[in-house]
Amino acid sequence: MSRTNSIARRASIDPSADVALAKMGYQSELPRNLSMLSVLGMSFAIMAVPFGLSTTMYITLTDGQSVTILWGWVLVSLISLCIAASLAEICAVYPTAGGVYYWSAMLSTRKYAPVASWVTGWLTLVGNWTVTLSINFSGGQLILSAISLWNEDFVPNQWQTILMFWAVMLICMAVNIFGAKYLDLINKICIYWTASSVIIILIVLLSMANTKRSGEFVFAHYDASQSGWPSGWAFFVGLLQAAYTLTGYGMVAAMCEEVQSPEREVPKAIVLSVAAAGVTGVIYLIPILFVLPEVKLLLEVPNGQPIGLLFKTVTGSAGGGFGLLFLILGILFFAGVGALTAASRCTYAFARDGAIPGSRFWKQVSKRFDIPLNALFLSTVVDCLLGLIFFGSSAAFNSFTGVATICLSTSYGMPILISVLRKRKAVKNSSFSLGRFGYAINIAMIFWICLAVVLFCMPVSLPVEAPTMNYASVVFAGFATISLVWYFIKGRKSFTGPPVPVDVAPGEQIVVPGMGVIDSKHERNGDMEQKVLKESSSGNGHSSGIDGEKLH
């Protein structure tokens, strides 16, 4: 795209979002060409409900079956809706690509802002990378499982699985590079493809099934005998299926700098996508439970992806099974592309503040493609390398889903926790306020996230052997070590958290239309040590004008 066209495109939109971004310390480098519907589509794509529920079905078939599958989904959907609303409330105040790590810094006191943003940022970064990894890895497995519809003796070896995973990653990367200007359209198509797929699968399964389960089985059957866990605990371990599927909604905060009126549109997209995903999941799961074949047969599928066999068994033919599986693979395409887009933007935003080794290189935006190309390459390479864990553990996918869920959940919890500790001062003027229910919702979500961290380090079933171990805690600890080492090498000396304009006076408040009050770096939401400074400067008529050349 020529420079002239790029300037013309920028000039044709409302510049207030770029002005607001400048007042938060950043220059706008990415085109604002995404709509609210597009961001909703991306969030919906990353969650990829039919795909996510299908690829993790072995978890709930082991840990409780119908009750865990259906009611576990309903429970986690309600919890996720509350977390999404809590994040949306904060996003309406600070709409930047930094997302939760920026929020943690601005909600903290001046003293703790750097460490809060560093911890949250690394959790977010690893969560973005691993959720992309888990989506595309399970996608590679699902593609290979299609072969077994015709050849039941086919069992893909480790190299075939890894190579297929790499192929899926490279396709998603290529779409992000060469189809960048079509991402808005791609994200919107995802909504229609997913809705159509769910309806088609529902009709085909219910009309072609020779036998159907009873209503009692669908809504009340509980059997955790395959898990080895105590009966009640197995239900909670099985919640990983729903929690993993419903975990990507906060990632789209990274798209704030590519949306017009982000303080209004992105919070709406975050909450609506979770609500839409919850309803879609119920509509998808109920017909599957009504036509569910013998559970033991499904759990014996060699590569752990039983959905293809389920479709084949119900339709009575390999062709029919593949036809339905193709719809799920279409959702994989949207999920993989959307997750990699969000991961690259998250990497770019974190590198922009110097928190990643080699930040100067990773934060560059390609003038040719109008995307953070280097950050996209880094995200792709990291995921491709992490996929090699599969050579050491046949349960690698379970580890990927676990660490993705843990990292994203804890990264969502950090700004919510800080906001509660600071008595929710920063969000009292949010255009997406939770009102009087804010404290109760925030605190309940913090307790859930603490429980989730414990739950999702658990193996799906007992007894545990080395190949079937859940290595989520190991992957989590590995990245934590990298983060800690880099913090002591460079972070503690040079990382000060997200920037604010240097020409804003100490303690001066910046009022941005439609947003809450943003305090300068010298005083984050009422630091006590700066109260006197603020009072003494309030009558001096400080200018809050922003000079783009003076941005940190």
Side-chain angles (χ1 to χ4, degrees), residues 444-529:
M445 293 310 97
I446 292 166
F447 279 112
W448 158 253
I449 290 167
C450 291
L451 174 63
V453 171
V454 177
L455 285 176
F456 303 143
C457 286
M458 300 286 176
V460 172
S461 59
L462 299 175
V464 179
E465 298 175 356
T468 58
M469 177 62 185
N470 182 350
Y471 289 98
S473 55
V474 178
V475 177
F476 183 83
F479 276 112
T481 302
I482 294 172
S483 169
L484 193 63
V485 169
W486 187 243
Y487 183 77
F488 280 104
I489 291 174
K490 187 175 181 182
R492 64 193 177 98
K493 301 173 186 175
S494 61
F495 184 76
T496 57
V500 294
V502 296
D503 61 346
V504 175
E508 182 180 359
Q509 295 180 328
I510 307 168
V511 180
V512 179
M515 295 167 54
V517 169
I518 300 172
D519 291 343
S520 82
K521 190 174 185 177
H522 298 280
E523 180 190 358
R524 297 183 187 278
N525 304 310
D527 286 4
M528 292 305 295
E529 67 269 24

Side-chain angles (χ1 to χ4, degrees), residues 300-371:
E300 289 174 352
V301 173
N303 65 357
Q305 297 294 338
I307 195 66
L309 177 61
L310 186 152
F311 288 156
K312 177 184 177 180
T313 304
V314 174
T315 59
S317 69
F322 180 75
L324 297 182
L325 188 62
F326 178 78
L327 297 175
I328 302 294
L329 292 175
I331 296 171
L332 154 68
F333 168 78
F334 295 112
V337 170
L340 188 56
T341 303
S344 65
R345 301 312 191 264
C346 174
T347 305
Y348 154 77
F350 206 34
R352 188 170 57 179
D353 287 331
I356 305 174
S359 289
R360 186 172 298 179
F361 182 72
W362 307 123
K363 71 178 182 180
Q364 294 176 13
V365 175
S366 167
K367 290 183 171 58
R368 178 182 175 188
F369 297 106
D370 262 345
I371 61 170

Side-chain angles (χ1 to χ4, degrees), residues 168-190:
V168 173
M169 285 295 308
L170 291 176
I171 290 171
C172 292
M173 183 181 74
V175 172
N176 266 280
I177 296 173
F178 301 106
K181 58 184 176 182
Y182 302 113
L183 285 179
D184 184 72
L185 177 62
I186 291 171
N187 294 333
K188 289 175 183 175
I189 292 174
C190 168

Side-chain angles (χ1 to χ4, degrees), residues 59-400:
I59 296 174
T60 41
L61 289 176
T62 303
D63 291 308
Q65 299 176 26
S66 298
V67 167
T68 309
I69 291 173
L70 182 58
W71 299 115
W73 173 261
V74 172
L75 173 63
V76 176
S77 293
L78 294 174
I79 291 171
S80 299
L81 196 60
C82 292
I83 297 175
S86 298
L87 295 180
E89 182 180 45
I90 303 171
C91 183
V93 181
Y94 306 115
T96 78
V100 288
Y101 99 87
Y102 183 94
W103 305 341
S104 288
M106 297 308 290
L107 292 168
S108 295
T109 62
R110 180 188 180 191
K111 179 179 178 181
Y112 294 106
V115 69
S117 59
W118 183 276
V119 172
T120 309
W122 272 94
L123 287 171
T124 308
L125 187 66
V126 175
N128 274 257
W129 283 344
T130 50
V131 82
T132 306
L133 163 66
S134 58
I135 287 170
N136 289 326
F137 189 88
S138 60
Q141 288 183 314
L142 202 60
I143 293 170
L144 289 172
S145 75
I147 300 174
S148 63
L149 295 178
W150 285 275
N151 180 5
E152 294 183 3
D153 295 327
F154 174 74
V155 179
N157 61 36
Q158 291 175 323
W159 270 112
Q160 288 169 328
T161 303
I162 290 295
L163 290 174
M164 183 57 74
F165 159 60
W166 284 350
V168 173
M169 285 295 308
L170 291 176
I171 290 171
C172 292
M173 183 181 74
V175 172
N176 266 280
I177 296 173
F178 301 106
K181 58 184 176 182
Y182 302 113
L183 285 179
D184 184 72
L185 177 62
I186 291 171
N187 294 333
K188 289 175 183 175
I189 292 174
C190 168
I191 298 174
Y192 299 109
W193 179 282
T194 304
S196 302
S197 298
V198 169
I199 293 170
I200 292 169
I201 291 170
L202 181 151
I203 294 171
V204 171
L205 290 182
L206 293 180
S207 62
M208 295 191 71
N210 293 325
T211 59
K212 293 186 178 69
R213 301 277 192 169
S214 66
E216 182 184 0
F217 176 88
V218 172
F219 296 103
H221 176 73
Y222 184 79
D223 179 5
S225 59
Q226 298 282 335
S227 71
W229 290 109
S231 183
W233 185 250
F235 171 80
F236 290 101
V237 175
L239 293 180
L240 175 60
Q241 180 194 35
Y244 161 68
T245 305
L246 285 168
T247 208
Y249 48 86
M251 292 170 64
V252 295
M255 309 307 294
C256 279
E257 294 174 30
E258 296 171 62
V259 181
Q260 297 186 50
S261 303
E263 74 283 354
R264 181 180 71 247
E265 304 297 351
V266 177
K268 252 195 305 190
I270 291 173
V271 175
L272 287 175
S273 65
V274 176
V279 173
T280 302
V282 172
I283 296 172
Y284 179 69
L285 289 172
I286 289 177
I288 282 183
L289 289 173
F290 268 112
V291 302
L292 196 71
E294 185 183 348
V295 173
K296 185 179 179 182
L297 183 70
L298 296 175
L299 288 175
E300 289 174 352
V301 173
N303 65 357
Q305 297 294 338
I307 195 66
L309 177 61
L310 186 152
F311 288 156
K312 177 184 177 180
T313 304
V314 174
T315 59
S317 69
F322 180 75
L324 297 182
L325 188 62
F326 178 78
L327 297 175
I328 302 294
L329 292 175
I331 296 171
L332 154 68
F333 168 78
F334 295 112
V337 170
L340 188 56
T341 303
S344 65
R345 301 312 191 264
C346 174
T347 305
Y348 154 77
F350 206 34
R352 188 170 57 179
D353 287 331
I356 305 174
S359 289
R360 186 172 298 179
F361 182 72
W362 307 123
K363 71 178 182 180
Q364 294 176 13
V365 175
S366 167
K367 290 183 171 58
R368 178 182 175 188
F369 297 106
D370 262 345
I371 61 170
L373 189 61
N374 296 345
L376 178 65
F377 281 138
L378 177 62
S379 301
T380 304
V381 170
V382 168
D383 281 350
C384 287
L385 293 177
L386 282 174
L388 297 175
I389 292 175
F390 186 60
F391 286 114
S393 169
S394 59
F397 173 59
N398 190 33
S399 302
F400 301 152

Side-chain angles (χ1 to χ4, degrees), residues 85-87 89-90 93 107 415-430 432-443 525:
S86 298
L87 295 180
E89 182 180 45
I90 303 171
V93 181
L107 292 168
I416 297 173
L417 173 63
I418 296 168
S419 179
V420 169
L421 292 176
R422 302 304 306 278
K423 300 181 180 178
R424 292 174 43 84
K425 291 178 183 177
V427 296
K428 65 182 179 182
N429 295 319
S430 174
F432 199 95
S433 176
L434 296 179
R436 59 181 179 175
F437 300 107
Y439 269 113
I441 292 173
N442 288 171
I443 292 170
N525 304 310

Side-chain angles (χ1 to χ4, degrees), residues 32-41 184 188 258-260 265 269:
R32 293 188 183 274
N33 54 7
L34 299 181
S35 63
M36 189 281 285
L37 188 63
S38 177
V39 177
L40 189 154
D184 184 72
K188 289 175 183 175
E258 296 171 62
V259 181
Q260 297 186 50
E265 304 297 351

